[in-house]
């Protein structure tokens, strides 16, 4: 999490956010509407207690009434328009249905009365939450004009999003380009276009109203540092995801996050509103301590969290989130892992080149020498900047690149090794719609460079290794550079080694195998070298020595590496097996406790057997997976990369 980052330069790219609750005192008309909702809820709960059963059958009147009241409350907490839309849809369904029940949700007369109350709230502008929102925008001197702050508003219901779009457009006389909506009904392309537009400096969008479809995987922090949670999602996970749209790495200003929260002294309603507000307080508390909101309810699922909040509202339990306790969260102080900082976390890099420039320069020169690239198609302008022309071949191969990222034919891709140059170019491109960064990063995963590497690889036959004859190699010896790899039973490379086997040209081992790094250091391969002429006799001699070189590579190097890794794997396997046994014991003990007070009827017995089967299946699958994971029974795969010799 970002609070664990030690690097000051990286930490400086995060801003400390400000969270501001905006309380809206409910109007009399709103309380009259929600008073009916509360009465339905209390009546359902009372009836349930009197019957001393938990709702009886799944479709009992009491359960349906309770769910209806909760849904009514949740709808209104989004907006009166969202609640009204839900009730109108219910009336339409009832009018087309012949069967009726005694449940409140089937009472057309009551629903119509609630609709009238909602219409009165909307028509008389008594929506307290919207009025509070409006007052805040005016206080910020926001009017939706070109130079005003850019704002993101999150709301759960589509009806609320449309309601806000209409109201804001009217109250601020906004044109259609100034206010936009983002929701799941848009196509992927429409969503992407909208997000990209919002992230440009010259965008006309002043306010983006989004459903929770925009709460994940979307960057909204470019030129925007103000967000309103118009309604509060009943999930800490969703709430954290929403806030992360502007409070994220690269935000250059303080993120301001506002929560619009209703206030009332009405019995029952006051508690329900506190339960919702507690979500915002807990999210902020967790944000400042651990950083993972999903750990609070320990459900790690937004839908499951919504159900938990619904249960809390049903029971009137304001303390359903409890106190945030790190020790409790991690199972006691003894289980908390001590932080560990590795001062030098990067291993020593092996390269035959001093730097990236020398590597890419040689790549381009080699392609030109092989006539795979024309002289004027690629050129280094300086030691950090490479231009590669977009010719017909390259244009065809890279057909799926974004058109903005592709230069016109015979115009160059501008690739730079300097991160600051590229970062500044990206920032400049973000100022205008349709613009792409003038410079792109010169690195091995760039599509243009990947293609150049493919051309180089294709110029060498698959079943051959390159040969170099060098003066500094001892006379009469051949040094076979080999890559050895051993995979486990699920196809993962567990051992992967580059090493060298020194052989005598006349036959036999010259010296024991060594790592590629040792060989490179001894014979200074990182310095510029010139290969001498090689004839067919030399090649035939090397081919005759090759079988013995492979045998020595297996016996004297790869087998030892494999055995060392096997011993390490066996220790891991023993630890895992012990953990698996402990889990099996605990799972069976829990199962025994769960069923000890139940009579073993046919149904209960089947459930017991299902649990037994589930535990055994987990044991078998986990055990087999770990066996496959730690297996090293396969022979090593060896590939001769190159041969260095001198005769």
């Amino acid at each position: 999490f970002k609070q664990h980052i030690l690097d000051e330069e990286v930490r400086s790219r995060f801003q400390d956010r400000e969270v501001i609750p905006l309380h809206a005192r409910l109007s009399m008309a709103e309380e009259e509407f929600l008073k009916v909702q509360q009465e339905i809820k209390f009546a359902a709960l009372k009836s349930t207690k009197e019957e001393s059963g938990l709702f009886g059958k799944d479709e009992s009147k009491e359960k349906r009434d309770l769910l209806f009241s909760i849904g009514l409350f949740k709808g209104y907490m989004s907006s009166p328009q969202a609640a009204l839309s839900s009730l109108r849809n219910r009336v339409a369904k009832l009018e087309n249905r012949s069967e009726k029940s005694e449940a409140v949700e089937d009472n057309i007369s009551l629903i119509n009365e609630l609709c009238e109350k909602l219409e009165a709230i909307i028509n008389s502008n008594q929506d307290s939450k919207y009025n509070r929102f409006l007052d805040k925008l005016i206080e910020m001197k926001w009017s939706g004009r070109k130079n005003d702050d850019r704002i993101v508003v999150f709301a759960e219901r589509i009806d609320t999003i449309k309601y806000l779009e209409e109201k804001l457009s009217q109250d601020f006389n906004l044109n259609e380009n100034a206010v936009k909506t983002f929701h799941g009904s848009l196509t992927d392309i429409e969503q992407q276009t909208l997000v990209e537009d919002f992230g440009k400096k010259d965008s006309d969008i002043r306010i983006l109203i989004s459903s929770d479809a925009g709460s994940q995987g979307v960057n909204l922090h470019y030129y925007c540092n103000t967000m309103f949670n118009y309604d509060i999602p009943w999930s800490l996970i969703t709430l954290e995801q929403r806030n992360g749209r502007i409070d994220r790495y690269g935000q250059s200003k303080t993120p301001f996050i506002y929560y619009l929260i209703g206030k009332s002294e009405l019995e029952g309603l006051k508690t329900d509103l506190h339960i919702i507000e507690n979500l915002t307080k807990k999210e902020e508390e967790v944000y400042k301590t651990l950083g993972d909101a999903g750990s609070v309810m320990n459900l790690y699922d937004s839908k499951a969290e919504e159900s938990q909040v619904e249960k809390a509202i049903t029971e009137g339990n304001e303390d359903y989130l409890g106190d945030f306790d790190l020790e409790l969260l991690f199972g006691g102080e003894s289980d908390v892992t001590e932080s560990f900082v590795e001062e030098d976390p990067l291993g020593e890099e092996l390269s035959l080149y001093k730097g990236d420039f020398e590597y890419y320069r040689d790549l381009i020169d080699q392609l030109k020498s092989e006539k795979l690239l024309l002289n004027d198609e690629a050129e280094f302008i300086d030691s950090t900047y490479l231009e590669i022309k977009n010719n017909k071949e390259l244009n065809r191969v890279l057909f799926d690149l974004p058109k903005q990222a592709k230069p016109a034919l015979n115009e160059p891709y501008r690739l730079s090794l300097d991160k600051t140059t590229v970062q500044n170019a990206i920032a400049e491109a973000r100022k205008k719609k349709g613009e792409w960064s003038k410079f792109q990063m010169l690195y091995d995963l760039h599509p243009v460079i990947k293609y150049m590497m493919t051309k180089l690889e294709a110029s060498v036959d698959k079943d051959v290794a390159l040969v170099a004859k060098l003066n500094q190699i001892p006379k009469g010896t051949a040094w076979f550079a080999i890559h050895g790899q051993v995979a486990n039973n699920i196809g993962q490379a567990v051992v992967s080694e580059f090493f060298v086997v020194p052989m005598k040209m006349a036959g036999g081992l010259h010296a024991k195998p060594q790592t590629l790094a040792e060989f490179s250091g001894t014979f200074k391969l990182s310095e510029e070298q010139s290969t001498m002429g090689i004839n067919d006799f030399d090649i035939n001699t090397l081919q005759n020595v090759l079988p013995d070189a492979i045998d020595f590579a297996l016996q004297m190097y790869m087998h030892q590496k494999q055995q060392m890794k096997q011993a390490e794997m066996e220790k891991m396997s023993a630890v895992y097996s012990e953990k698996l046994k402990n889990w099996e014991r605990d799972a069976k003990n829990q199962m025994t406790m769960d069923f000890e007070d139940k009579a073993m009827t046919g149904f209960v017995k089947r459930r017991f057997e299902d649990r037994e089967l589930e535990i055994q299946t987990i044991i078998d699958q986990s055990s087999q997976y770990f066996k496959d994971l730690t297996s090293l029974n396969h022979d090593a795969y060896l590939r001769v990369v190159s041969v260095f010799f001198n005769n």
Side-chain angles (χ1 to χ4, degrees):
F1 298 106
K2 68 182 184 183
Q3 60 265 42
H4 299 138
I5 296 171
L6 301 179
D7 189 285
E8 288 300 325
E9 183 179 352
V10 177
R11 284 181 67 88
S12 68
R13 299 281 288 173
F14 289 103
Q15 305 297 324
D16 291 329
R17 73 189 190 188
E18 286 196 27
V19 174
I20 305 160
L22 299 176
H23 292 103
R25 181 69 175 82
L26 298 184
S27 65
M28 289 182 62
E30 290 178 304
E31 288 192 336
E32 280 298 315
F33 171 79
L34 290 168
K35 185 177 181 181
V36 177
Q37 176 263 327
Q38 289 290 311
E39 287 172 351
I40 297 169
K41 171 185 166 182
F42 289 141
L45 287 170
K46 184 182 179 201
S47 178
T48 300
K49 290 177 182 177
E50 288 174 351
E51 292 182 8
S52 68
L54 190 61
F55 302 127
K57 297 180 180 178
D58 285 345
E59 294 300 320
S60 71
K61 173 184 178 301
E62 289 74 21
K63 181 176 181 180
R64 290 179 62 190
D65 287 356
L66 187 58
L67 292 177
F68 176 74
S69 74
I70 299 295
L72 205 56
F73 173 71
K74 189 174 188 181
Y76 194 84
M77 287 303 101
S78 183
S79 72
Q81 189 61 50
L84 179 60
S85 179
S86 296
L87 290 176
R88 283 175 175 170
N89 290 337
R90 184 62 192 167
V91 170
K93 287 181 180 179
L94 290 173
E95 288 176 344
N96 293 324
R97 206 172 79 180
S98 56
E99 294 181 9
K100 299 287 189 298
S101 75
E102 294 181 359
V104 171
E105 64 176 344
D106 291 344
N107 188 328
I108 293 181
S109 175
L110 174 62
I111 294 176
N112 282 330
E113 181 185 331
L114 291 170
C115 286
E116 290 174 5
K117 290 180 182 292
L118 289 169
E119 289 168 352
I121 291 169
I122 295 169
N123 295 333
S124 61
N125 293 321
Q126 294 192 66
D127 179 358
S128 61
K129 189 165 68 171
Y130 178 77
N131 291 334
R132 183 70 183 90
F133 179 42
L134 191 64
D135 289 343
K136 183 60 187 177
L137 293 177
I138 294 171
E139 180 189 323
M140 292 166 57
K141 294 181 171 52
W142 187 91
S143 60
R145 300 303 173 254
K146 188 68 176 177
N147 294 326
D148 287 348
D149 289 342
R150 212 168 298 188
I151 293 172
V152 177
V153 180
F154 273 105
E156 197 169 57
R157 304 290 183 92
I158 293 295
D159 295 295
T160 302
I161 292 171
K162 293 178 180 177
Y163 170 71
L164 288 173
E165 181 185 23
E166 181 181 336
K167 294 278 286 179
L168 290 168
S169 298
Q170 290 175 356
D171 291 335
F172 290 99
N173 192 26
L174 302 177
N175 63 51
E176 62 180 6
N177 293 325
V179 55
K180 293 290 184 180
T181 60
F182 185 103
H183 45 79
S185 300
L186 301 177
T187 65
D188 290 348
I189 293 175
E190 288 171 331
Q191 289 183 356
Q192 184 178 351
T193 302
L194 191 56
V195 170
E196 287 179 358
D197 184 3
F198 190 72
K200 296 291 186 177
K201 187 176 182 178
D202 66 343
S203 175
D204 293 325
I205 305 173
R206 294 299 96 191
I207 189 162
L208 179 66
I209 310 169
S210 176
S211 72
D212 286 323
S215 67
Q216 297 183 56
V218 175
N219 291 322
L220 302 177
H221 65 293
Y222 304 122
Y223 304 106
C224 176
N225 65 315
T226 304
M227 192 185 88
F228 287 84
N229 283 289
Y230 191 79
D231 54 24
I232 310 301
W234 292 10
S235 163
L236 285 166
I237 293 172
T238 304
L239 194 56
E240 183 180 52
Q241 288 170 341
R242 280 186 183 184
N243 295 342
R245 296 314 94 212
I246 68 163
D247 180 17
R248 60 195 299 102
Y249 180 77
Q251 172 63 264
S252 59
K253 298 181 179 179
T254 298
F256 290 95
I257 297 172
Y258 295 93
Y259 293 115
L260 284 151
I261 304 164
K263 280 289 182 183
S264 173
E265 296 301 318
L266 191 67
E267 183 186 358
L269 180 59
K270 179 180 179 181
T271 300
D272 292 352
L273 291 171
H274 280 169
I275 288 171
I276 302 304
E277 184 173 8
N278 284 346
L279 280 167
T280 69
K281 294 177 179 178
K282 185 60 67 172
E283 195 275 338
E284 184 63 10
E285 182 184 345
V286 174
Y287 170 84
K288 290 178 178 178
T289 50
L290 177 66
D292 181 13
S295 302
V296 176
M297 296 190 199
N298 206 30
L299 297 171
Y300 299 97
D301 180 84
S302 59
K303 295 298 181 185
E305 287 191 343
E306 288 175 15
S307 298
Q308 187 85 343
V309 175
E310 184 179 303
K311 181 183 177 185
I313 291 174
T314 300
E315 298 171 350
N317 179 15
E318 291 189 48
D319 297 325
Y320 68 106
L321 293 171
D323 293 325
F324 187 63
D325 187 344
L326 279 173
E327 289 189 15
L328 181 63
L329 191 63
F330 290 113
E333 188 177 349
S334 61
D335 292 335
V336 177
T337 305
E338 291 293 328
S339 62
F340 174 75
V341 178
E342 175 60 64
E343 295 297 335
D344 188 15
L346 299 179
E348 187 176 347
E349 187 181 66
L350 171 64
S351 175
L352 301 181
Y353 291 92
K354 294 178 181 177
D356 288 348
F357 166 69
E358 289 78 10
Y359 171 75
Y360 291 118
R361 180 195 59 194
D362 276 11
L363 168 63
I364 298 302
D365 288 347
Q366 179 67 22
L367 291 174
K368 288 180 179 180
S369 69
E370 295 284 343
K371 307 300 183 189
L372 297 172
L373 202 60
L374 299 179
N375 284 331
D376 66 344
E377 286 183 325
E379 182 183 4
F380 266 100
I381 307 303
D382 58 38
S383 61
T384 65
Y385 171 29
L386 171 66
E387 286 189 353
I388 298 179
K389 281 186 181 178
N390 183 26
N391 56 32
K392 289 183 179 179
E393 178 188 14
L394 194 56
N395 196 57
R396 186 185 71 252
V397 171
L398 303 183
F399 67 92
D400 56 351
L401 277 185
K403 62 181 181 180
Q404 301 98 322
K406 295 175 68 172
L409 282 176
N410 296 319
E411 290 297 316
Y413 285 93
R414 296 179 175 88
L415 307 178
S416 176
L417 289 166
D418 184 57
K419 289 184 282 188
T420 302
T421 298
V422 177
Q423 193 65 45
N424 290 340
I426 292 171
E428 191 64 28
R430 201 168 282 129
K431 294 178 180 179
K432 292 183 180 180
K433 286 179 281 188
E435 289 286 315
W436 198 271
S437 173
K438 180 181 177 182
F439 289 95
Q440 298 172 31
M441 204 69 216
L442 173 53
Y443 74 128
D444 55 350
L445 294 183
H446 191 285
V448 174
I449 298 301
K450 286 179 72 175
Y451 181 61
M452 295 300 160
M453 286 297 304
T454 301
K455 288 172 75 74
L456 178 66
E457 290 169 8
S459 70
V460 181
D461 291 339
K462 291 294 182 185
D463 57 347
V464 302
L466 299 176
V467 176
K469 185 177 181 181
L470 303 179
N471 262 328
Q472 66 265 39
I473 299 294
K475 282 189 174 293
T477 65
W479 300 64
F480 289 79
I482 296 172
H483 177 233
Q485 182 172 293
V486 181
N488 58 20
N489 282 351
I490 56 178
Q492 295 173 332
V494 181
V495 178
S496 181
E497 297 276 340
F498 284 94
F499 61 101
V500 177
V501 178
M503 299 290 294
K504 296 175 182 177
M505 296 285 284
L509 194 67
H510 170 69
K512 67 178 183 179
Q514 57 188 255
T515 66
L516 183 59
E518 291 170 336
F519 172 69
S520 176
T522 300
F523 297 108
K524 298 180 172 55
L525 294 188
S526 60
E527 299 178 4
E528 190 168 320
Q529 306 290 346
S530 297
T531 182
M532 296 182 284
I534 301 171
N535 55 42
D536 290 341
F537 178 79
D538 293 333
I539 298 298
N540 289 332
T541 302
L542 293 173
Q543 286 177 333
N544 291 334
V545 177
L546 178 61
D548 287 342
I550 295 299
D551 286 342
F552 286 127
L554 282 172
Q555 296 168 15
M556 299 186 67
Y557 196 89
M558 287 306 297
H559 284 173
Q560 293 178 16
K561 293 290 181 181
Q562 199 166 342
Q563 288 171 4
M564 291 169 60
K565 195 66 177 178
Q566 186 67 55
E568 181 184 325
M569 291 288 196
E570 285 173 359
K571 289 180 181 178
M572 288 173 56
S573 185
V575 172
Y576 184 79
S577 296
E578 188 63 29
K579 288 183 176 180
L580 204 58
K581 288 178 183 177
N582 293 337
W583 180 86
E584 181 181 16
R585 182 191 65 242
D586 292 343
K588 288 183 176 180
N589 288 342
Q590 184 62 48
M591 181 181 67
T592 302
M593 291 169 59
D594 291 344
F595 286 91
E596 64 182 353
D597 295 331
K598 293 182 174 65
M600 278 296 173
T601 60
F603 174 73
V604 173
K605 187 177 180 182
R606 281 196 301 275
R607 284 183 58 198
F608 184 84
E609 291 171 348
D610 287 344
R611 283 278 293 277
E612 272 190 323
L613 179 60
E614 181 185 14
I615 292 170
Q616 192 57 48
T617 301
I618 291 172
I619 293 294
D620 293 343
Q621 291 179 347
S622 300
S623 180
Q624 185 58 50
Y625 174 78
F626 208 77
K627 284 178 182 177
D628 291 337
L629 186 71
T630 56
S631 65
L632 275 174
N633 302 322
H634 305 289
D635 291 332
Y637 170 75
L638 299 182
R639 176 170 175 255
V640 179
V641 179
S642 58
V643 184
F644 301 86
F645 79 101
N646 189 4
N647 59 359

